[in-house]
Amino acid sequence: MTSRERGGILTGLLITGAVGLCLLIACGLFIARNIRVTSRSNGYGGDNVWIDTPAGNFSIRAHEKDGKLPAGIPMYPGARLTHGSGGGAVFRWNSKDGNDDRGFAVAGAEMITGDPPSKVLDYYREQLPEWIVVTEHDGATQFELQEGGYKRIVGIHAQYDGTHIGVASVGEPASN
């Protein structure tokens, strides 16, 4: 290979790299000029966020640390909510033309009790008889129910400081 051929290959690579860099800068400028992000504290220990794009807007409304369990999930008797537990958020996409609007809500909390996992399992089996019970390989047990556009979950796991009970609900915004 002659030095002239090597120089031609090197020039081609440099031009390709320069074009790629220009495209990257152009994409960055487009995003900076056309996408706006706004956040505001909601007074519940979280922030609400709005992202406006040329295609529509995406919003996240946080409901942090409200100290409540997701709807339809009973509190285990004698359990206490862990510090900072009990909150959620609503995620919503609104397209500019209104044809592709979507949303979902997430809520969750964690409780802890000194009772053994077997007693907690018995309580939730009695309270939630129609729920599906799933036992995982690490000894944790999970109850699940999916209906009406949302899924509710109760997870039970023994740890060094007691039995932890995690509860969550994921689904349509109106379900939470």
Side-chain angles (χ1 to χ4, degrees), residues 15 38 44 66 89:
I15 290 173
T38 308
Y44 296 106
D66 61 4

Side-chain angles (χ1 to χ4, degrees), residues 28-50:
L29 289 172
F30 175 81
I31 290 171
R33 289 182 181 202
N34 293 301
I35 295 179
R36 187 178 53 145
V37 178
T38 308
S39 75
R40 185 177 331 142
S41 177
N42 64 13
Y44 296 106
D47 288 336
N48 293 332
V49 178
W50 296 269

Side-chain angles (χ1 to χ4, degrees), residues 24-96:
L24 187 61
I25 291 171
C27 287
L29 289 172
F30 175 81
I31 290 171
R33 289 182 181 202
N34 293 301
I35 295 179
R36 187 178 53 145
V37 178
T38 308
S39 75
R40 185 177 331 142
S41 177
N42 64 13
Y44 296 106
D47 288 336
N48 293 332
V49 178
W50 296 269
I51 303 170
D52 293 316
T53 72
N57 62 45
F58 183 69
S59 64
I60 305 167
R61 284 187 11 239
H63 303 288
E64 298 289 332
K65 301 176 186 168
D66 61 4
K68 297 178 184 174
L69 297 182
I73 300 176
M75 177 93 169
Y76 181 77
R80 61 178 167 71
L81 287 171
T82 59
H83 178 71
S85 185
V90 175
F91 301 83
R92 203 175 280 284
W93 166 256
N94 295 307
S95 61
K96 289 288 184 194

Side-chain angles (χ1 to χ4, degrees), residues 101-164:
D101 295 350
R102 300 173 191 260
F104 69 95
V106 177
E110 182 182 29
M111 298 173 277
I112 188 168
T113 180
D115 291 346
S118 60
K119 188 172 179 181
V120 177
L121 285 169
D122 290 343
Y123 171 80
Y124 280 106
R125 277 192 178 112
E126 182 180 314
Q127 295 295 310
L128 310 169
E130 70 279 2
W131 289 39
I132 296 171
V133 179
V134 179
T135 303
E136 300 175 358
H137 62 84
D138 63 353
T141 302
Q142 190 168 297
F143 289 77
E144 298 179 359
L145 179 68
Q146 188 163 350
E147 68 178 3
Y150 63 99
K151 183 174 188 174
R152 292 180 287 180
I153 301 166
V154 175
I156 301 164
H157 186 73
Q159 291 188 4
Y160 67 93
D161 59 346
T163 301
H164 288 248

